[in-house]
Amino acid sequence: MLGNFTYCNPTKLYFGKGAVGSMRDELNKYGDNVLLVYGGGSIKKNGIYDEVIGVLRDAGKNVTEIAGVMPNPTIEKLREGIAIARENKVDLILAVGGGSVIDYSKALSVSVNCDEDPWEKYYIHFEEPTCETLPVGAVLTMVGTGSEMNSGAVITNPEQKLKIGHVFKDEKIMPRFAILDPSYTLTLPRYQMVSGIYDIFNHICEQYFSGEDDNTSDYISEGLMRSVIHSSRIAVKDPQDYEARSNIMWTATWALNTLIAKGKSTDWMVHMLGQSAGACTNATHGMTLAAVSLPYYRHIMNDGLPKFARFASNVWDIPADGKSEKELAEAGLSAMEAWMKEIGVVMNLTDLGATEEMIPDMVKGTIILDGGYRKLDAAEIEEIFRESL
């Protein structure tokens, strides 16, 4: 490993059936006023809400709720939450849901005591908090984003057609604790499960497809990818298979808790493309990634040929015998494509509601990053979006 880095991850995890009971010890560390944040109300139908409320009541907490956090949480919803949190003098934000709910809660954490406009400060100028932030806890009900153990928060501005993520530098923005009970994910619709599975896989790819040194992070990434592939095939056939779903949940956390990024430059262009498409279509995050990823990776493959060939050999077990490095790399991406179709992800943006007329806005909304094998320009981004249709 050639890069220097600092590593700190303070999130305490409680994993397994009944893990929510462990939250009692964590709640004692914070004040009496808890803001409970959740999405569309499915947690009330499947019993998770009652379990969480029971623990909060037993701990003597005063509970205020923010419901209806949407899959792509908006700046308007964030401003609504800021007012509620201020009015109720919140001591702890407890997110119960998937990545969108947890992302929203982290954005709320840095915004409640902020005197400036959070959109401008955090998502346009990418400034760091200068105010006091609120602690966040998480009860995970949908896996994929890894938001339960990182400091990222994605917010959408529908009026500006922008969906932007800010990974805050201070580890105190990470959830202080997270409850990971795989049984909480078993009632998810198949579409959401599969979307989360691809989100996990792509998180790993975006860290893996960068750098040329002999990096321990790459070996870990290959193992995580193989685990996702194996467990996904079981879960698609039997969504109630607890072992497969628990492995998927655990892999999701390690895919984006900053560990495998260490010593890497990382390449997050698939997320930039997918998030821009999501801002225009309001489509599910993991599916936007699936729709743009293969066109992107085929576009940059020749610039990082050795890693793509290694991907074919070490992740997909494709023999190198008789193949050129390019043929091996192409075979790896073909194997990835076959697996994506096997588990049922969306393979193009048209099926997510995108049209050719949206392309200029999607290009405009795509943040261009470096760190990968090729830095794109606007013309290349447009080409990839057209291929993704």
Side-chain angles (χ1 to χ4, degrees), residues 144-162:
T145 68
S147 190
E148 67 276 6
M149 205 178 186
N150 66 44
S151 62
V154 180
I155 295 294
T156 297
N157 188 321
E159 183 179 340
Q160 297 181 16
K161 296 181 180 177
L162 292 173

Side-chain angles (χ1 to χ4, degrees), residues 149-197:
M149 205 178 186
N150 66 44
S151 62
V154 180
I155 295 294
T156 297
N157 188 321
E159 183 179 340
Q160 297 181 16
K161 296 181 180 177
L162 292 173
K163 180 178 178 181
I164 299 175
H166 187 151
V167 179
F168 292 95
K169 293 180 180 178
D170 195 333
E171 61 265 13
K172 71 180 179 182
I173 310 304
M174 296 179 179
R176 306 296 174 86
F177 64 89
I179 306 300
L180 278 61
D181 184 339
S183 65
Y184 282 3
T185 70
L186 297 180
T187 59
L188 276 177
R190 177 182 289 262
Y191 187 89
Q192 297 297 332
M193 177 189 74
V194 171
S195 176
I197 288 169

Side-chain angles (χ1 to χ4, degrees), residues 116-128 166:
E116 303 168 66
D117 176 39
W119 178 254
E120 289 291 326
K121 181 177 179 67
Y122 299 130
Y123 293 95
I124 298 300
H125 300 299
F126 289 95
E127 297 175 14
E128 294 300 311
H166 187 151

